Amino acid sequence: MLFSKLAEYYDSLEKVSSRLKMIEIMAEVFKEAEEREMSAIVYMTQGVLAPAFEGKEFGVAEKMATESIAIATGYTKDEVESDFKKSGDLGKTAESFVAKSKLKRMLSSKPNILEVYEAMKKISESSGKGSKEHKIKLLANLVASSTPLEARYMIRYPLGQLRLGLGDATMLEALSVMENNDRTLKDELERAYNICSDLGFVAATLKSDGLKAIRSLSVSTFKPIRPALAERLPTAEEIIEKMGGKCAVEQKYDGFRCQIHRKGKRIELYSRRLERTTEMFPDIATAALKEVSTDEFIIEGEALAYNEATSEFMPFQETIQRKRKHGIDEKAVNLPLRLMAFDIMFADGKNYMNEPYSKRREKLEELLGKSETLRPSKRIITDSAKDLDDFFNISVENGLEGIVAKDLNAPYIAGARKFSWIKLKRSYQGELSDTLDLVIIGYYLGRGSRTEFGFGGLLCAVYNEKRDMFESISKLGTGFTEEQMQELSDKLSKIAQKSKPARVDAILEPDFWVYPKYVVTVRADEITKSPTHTCGMKVNDDGTKSGYSLRFPRLVGETTIRTDKSPEEATTTKEIIELYSQQKKVRV
Ligand code: AMP
């Protein structure tokens, strides 16, 4: 497929206002694509070069792209930059400069998708001395042979700003339509995706080897598994009742989720978002090489700082220090890490995902044996709410976050929040003490003292998994420092748009919309019913409509933007509805 054709599809994707239409367009693209183009199309459309776990980055900054546009079109950097200041979108700027280019365009060689993808890979791979200039030149070459529309995406792609707003679920449905002309295969494709986390690989397999190959796809080392997630309930009684009898109750550690893959001497660690974090936790990687009794496995646990002198786990703030890339070795000495392992998915060529929890746990304990650094999570097995509560209280007293109860018979359910894991967190019972992760869908311009920042507040949403839509839940105007307002203003103005993005559902109209990209952490006093927010919106008996909203929401968190969560990993509509009903129960 020619890149120009893909650019036309992207242009129409940007213009549609319905999710179904998006699926239709993407399915068209997939139908038309050749087998060998499938994975490249998926990565391109996601705005990446490869799945997150490969850690491939373009290393192209806006300043560099500005220079490429200048070189490719015969204008000065200043001219390009001043247009960018007005347009706020370097892709659009590239488009208009190519249209009025002073240089003769090299249009004879119309690039196809794979040629563009390979060229982009070269840009990413250029490193070391002189690489900046090299990248600028390579990108300039691409722009110089582009039509204006192609140039828009040639520039946006390496900047990670495609603005298409397609999520994984939309893409999976489009693949299902490609294969079957309807959306019924989505679950099977999702299963495959959940165990390899590589949508490009799933798409390519489907196109070349069909559904049978998708069905027989199994776990393998160095393809991270999308993590299982926990549901929540407010009391020990409800947890025991839901579990229907005996269950395991594990301590809940507040650190970094870590999936460890090993085969022979190769070892890799992956974060909750499935990014490679091997270098960040050298002590855990070393222990996984030396202290486990087999050399092929996938295990999962929570990494956190440990004070050997007092045998205490450190709070998250201490552990997070380790995320800073500098001084890792020094920190490893001062703050050694422990991995509290809680699951195993693969060992010695055997897939353990479908084995019941109790079997997996047995294997996990067997493999960890005497390791000092990798310990199995502490747990009890009980069917008594009182025992659960006691264990919870002791855990909290010891500075931990709470407990996670686990169904003894359940398989490992990748990529989903199910009641086979149920969490109970510290000071949960009562007001809304758990924070929420909300997706920014729009923002308001500053008024009064905030005029100078061009930022006055956010419009935020939660994710409705069933609809694959982002439903508005709250405005957010409190809790920002001046630096944070500046940061948000800088980031959001780059992706601001005047029309509502296709996967956003809202009644309120912010000054600018943004497509779902950034997640922020918010604390609120209470969840309330609201006629102006679309989160969980239903028609009441009297014919009026109401959704859910937040009372006194404020921004909290270590960082302004949660870089470890994608929009689809934010708090869901279902969770909000559950929290609302739990909050009502506690009041009565
Ligand atoms: P939350 O982030 O509040 O939804 O809680 C789920 C997270 O708790 C998981 O993603 C893990 O990172 C973490 N966690 C800590 N201890 C455990 C445990 N024993 N079992 C499962 N998850 C745990």
Side-chain angles (χ1 to χ4, degrees):
M1 189 189 294
L2 289 179
F3 185 72
S4 57
K5 187 83 214 215
L6 187 64
E8 277 168 31
Y9 278 120
Y10 283 171
D11 184 45
S12 35
L13 273 174
E14 267 188 75
K15 288 183 182 135
V16 297
S17 56
S18 106
R19 181 176 173 270
L20 282 180
K21 194 81 200 142
M22 270 183 155
I23 293 171
E24 245 173 58
I25 295 173
M26 226 29 238
E28 272 302 302
V29 176
F30 288 140
K31 274 183 196 160
E32 225 171 279
E34 289 176 38
E35 268 173 41
R36 61 201 182 98
E37 294 172 332
M38 287 297 280
S39 58
I41 291 179
V42 168
Y43 301 138
M44 276 187 175
T45 309
Q46 290 180 317
V48 295
L49 275 169
F53 60 83
E54 288 191 17
K56 288 214 169 79
E57 304 214 347
F58 287 99
V60 173
E62 272 166 3
K63 276 236 149 47
M64 294 159 69
T66 308
E67 233 177 297
S68 300
I69 299 170
I71 296 171
T73 57
Y75 286 84
T76 65
K77 263 193 291 177
D78 288 349
E79 285 169 315
V80 178
E81 218 163 81
S82 85
D83 185 89
F84 172 42
K85 280 219 175 88
K86 274 181 257 150
S87 74
D89 172 359
L90 212 45
K92 284 264 167 158
T93 294
E95 186 173 359
S96 70
F97 275 75
V98 166
K100 60 180 184 188
S101 176
K102 293 181 184 169
L103 305 178
K104 206 165 151 6
R105 235 183 281 149
M106 305 180 279
L107 273 184
S108 50
S109 61
K110 286 189 163 180
N112 65 36
I113 286 170
L114 288 178
E115 285 162 345
V116 173
Y117 179 67
E118 287 306 320
M120 290 290 178
K121 256 187 158 163
K122 280 222 175 76
I123 293 179
S124 133
E125 282 157 9
S126 163
S127 67
K129 202 162 163 266
S131 67
K132 193 171 149 198
E133 288 66 33
H134 191 52
K135 282 175 197 267
I136 292 172
K137 214 174 108 206
L138 290 172
L139 188 56
N141 286 344
L142 281 173
V143 175
S145 57
S146 295
T147 62
L149 187 65
E150 285 173 316
R152 186 200 293 172
Y153 300 105
M154 294 277 190
I155 288 294
R156 282 187 189 172
Y157 178 35
L159 290 174
Q161 297 170 1
L162 268 184
R163 301 171 177 236
L164 302 179
L166 256 89
D168 293 347
T170 327
M171 209 84 106
L172 287 167
E173 279 180 54
L175 285 171
S176 171
V177 174
M178 165 196 89
E179 179 72 11
N180 219 18
N181 265 330
D182 64 34
R183 290 183 285 153
T184 49
L185 299 178
K186 194 193 150 214
D187 289 350
E188 294 194 66
L189 293 169
E190 197 169 351
R191 185 205 72 93
Y193 176 46
N194 283 340
I195 57 175
C196 71
S197 310
D198 185 347
L199 210 52
F201 176 69
V202 172
T205 308
L206 180 67
K207 186 98 177 182
S208 60
D209 303 322
L211 202 55
K212 235 175 126 193
I214 292 288
R215 287 188 183 127
S216 59
L217 212 74
S218 182
V219 277
S220 58
T221 41
F222 312 117
K223 285 215 181 272
I225 298 161
R226 298 187 68 225
L229 302 169
E231 280 284 357
R232 55 183 126 200
L233 283 173
T235 63
E237 287 77 16
E238 279 165 276
I239 291 177
I240 294 291
E241 195 188 317
K242 189 85 192 176
M243 286 290 178
K246 268 209 171 94
C247 61
V249 181
E250 299 188 8
Q251 285 185 329
K252 185 173 193 302
Y253 308 93
D254 192 10
F256 292 105
R257 191 164 183 160
C258 223
Q259 209 178 95
I260 307 180
H261 289 229
R262 174 172 170 196
K263 186 166 186 181
K265 291 211 158 53
R266 182 172 172 203
I267 190 109
E268 301 289 0
L269 270 46
Y270 302 99
S271 70
R272 180 195 158 106
R273 274 197 82 172
L274 309 178
E275 287 159 340
R276 266 189 69 244
T277 46
T278 317
E279 286 78 22
M280 229 178 264
F281 304 122
D283 29 8
I284 290 185
T286 308
L289 276 172
K290 290 192 184 148
E291 299 175 14
V292 183
S293 64
T294 184
D295 68 353
E296 193 188 16
F297 57 81
I298 302 177
I299 60 180
E300 190 175 39
E302 192 86 355
L304 69 170
Y306 182 70
N307 183 340
E308 286 180 288
T310 60
S311 318
E312 277 173 325
F313 289 109
M314 310 291 277
F316 184 68
Q317 283 74 4
E318 295 286 336
T319 304
I320 207 170
Q321 307 259 5
R322 290 291 301 264
K323 264 213 119 166
R324 304 218 175 100
K325 290 199 179 156
H326 301 290
I328 277 175
D329 287 339
E330 198 181 311
K331 275 269 186 291
V333 178
N334 294 341
L335 283 177
L337 286 187
R338 279 270 164 101
L339 182 93
M340 299 310 285
F342 51 74
D343 227 310
I344 182 161
M345 294 85 123
F346 187 76
D348 298 326
K350 181 172 151 73
N351 177 359
Y352 275 84
M353 302 235 318
N354 294 322
E355 296 290 331
Y357 165 89
S358 42
K359 267 253 170 74
R360 298 201 307 279
R361 175 78 190 199
E362 224 172 78
K363 185 73 188 171
L364 182 68
E365 289 182 11
E366 177 200 317
L367 291 191
L368 296 188
K370 296 186 212 79
S371 171
E372 276 286 317
T373 309
L374 316 176
R375 301 301 321 141
S377 58
K378 277 211 179 128
R379 62 163 197 172
I380 56 166
I381 292 180
T382 184
D383 58 1
S384 138
K386 179 169 180 312
D387 289 353
L388 192 154
D389 243 345
D390 289 346
F391 190 69
F392 171 83
N393 288 330
I394 294 169
S395 303
V396 170
E397 260 171 47
N398 289 332
L400 299 177
E401 231 191 347
I403 57 95
V404 186
K406 297 185 177 176
D407 180 342
L408 296 169
N409 300 313
Y412 185 91
I413 307 175
R417 197 178 291 285
K418 289 278 152 68
F419 277 103
S420 52
W421 287 13
I422 309 175
K423 61 188 174 184
L424 180 65
K425 291 217 291 204
R426 195 164 51 199
S427 65
Y428 216 54
Q429 304 122 315
E431 84 269 52
L432 199 58
S433 52
D434 203 15
T435 55
L436 305 171
D437 297 318
L438 306 184
V439 184
I440 304 175
I441 54 171
Y443 67 103
Y444 297 86
L445 291 177
R447 290 178 185 86
S449 65
R450 289 190 181 178
T451 317
E452 62 172 300
F453 300 109
F455 173 84
L458 301 172
L459 182 62
C460 295
V462 288
Y463 181 52
N464 185 325
E465 288 170 295
K466 274 229 173 89
R467 299 175 64 210
D468 186 28
M469 294 282 284
F470 295 88
E471 300 174 338
S472 92
I473 183 163
S474 179
K475 285 191 192 179
L476 180 66
T478 336
F480 305 97
T481 63
E482 291 195 352
E483 288 79 36
Q484 285 178 316
M485 285 196 262
Q486 194 61 59
E487 181 188 343
L488 284 165
S489 161
D490 290 347
K491 285 212 160 85
L492 297 176
S493 60
K494 292 207 175 93
I495 56 168
Q497 58 187 68
K498 271 290 171 196
S499 61
K500 186 161 65 183
R503 289 199 299 146
V504 165
D505 185 8
I507 297 168
L508 295 179
E509 288 266 342
D511 290 329
F512 288 101
W513 296 98
V514 295
Y515 68 88
K517 174 176 169 98
Y518 296 119
V519 175
V520 289
T521 302
V522 170
R523 191 178 284 288
D525 280 9
E526 199 181 355
I527 296 169
T528 55
K529 291 250 182 185
S530 152
T532 50
H533 286 284
T534 55
C535 165
M537 190 159 243
K538 282 223 162 67
V539 181
N540 301 320
D541 294 343
D542 61 1
T544 59
K545 281 184 176 178
S546 62
Y548 296 90
S549 183
L550 304 177
R551 202 158 84 101
F552 300 133
R554 56 228 179 246
L555 183 84
V556 291
E558 291 282 326
T559 53
T560 318
I561 304 285
R562 284 286 302 253
T563 46
D564 61 330
K565 286 207 169 169
S566 69
E568 283 84 4
E569 285 170 334
T571 301
T572 60
T573 302
K574 195 168 145 237
E575 287 179 276
I576 294 290
I577 297 172
E578 271 161 24
L579 282 171
Y580 179 77
S581 68
Q582 290 172 12
Q583 145 190 306
K584 267 201 339 206
K585 255 186 251 162
V586 175
R587 292 267 156 74
V588 182

